[in-house]
């Protein structure tokens, strides 16, 4: 059973446990999340769940930054 995500105005739990300089808006929903630095992701946990449902659990984000 999946739960509906909270409103995008509420931050993802990951934003509450990292420093403020690593928090940024998500690519899809614009929710504040741990976006930058080690452990960051361009998608929040709810957007990532939708992507994994479509592409499978083996889908991973690959940084293109040099």
């Amino acid at each position: 059973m999946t739960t509906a995500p909270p409103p995008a105005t509420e931050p993802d739990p990951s934003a509450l446990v990292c420093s403020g300089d690593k928090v940024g808006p998500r690519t899809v929903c614009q929710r504040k999340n741990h976006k930058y630095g080690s452990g960051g992701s361009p998608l929040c946990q709810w957007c990532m769940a939708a992507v994994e449902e479509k592409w499978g659990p083996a889908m991973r984000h690959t940084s293109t930054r040099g």
Side-chain angles (χ1 to χ4, degrees):
M1 173 194 231
T2 59
T3 59
T9 55
E10 294 183 24
D12 185 76
S14 68
L16 305 175
V17 295
C18 70
S19 62
D21 63 334
K22 295 184 176 166
V23 174
R26 286 293 154 220
T27 304
V28 177
C29 67
Q30 301 299 304
R31 179 184 316 280
K32 288 183 180 181
N33 202 338
H34 180 185
K35 184 173 183 176
Y36 306 105
S38 178
S41 172
L43 299 173
C44 71
Q45 64 185 8
W46 296 283
C47 292
M48 183 64 85
V51 170
E52 285 181 347
E53 185 176 310
K54 179 178 180 181
W55 295 96
M59 188 281 311
R60 296 285 182 260
H61 167 71
T62 301
S63 177
T64 57
R65 296 178 184 180

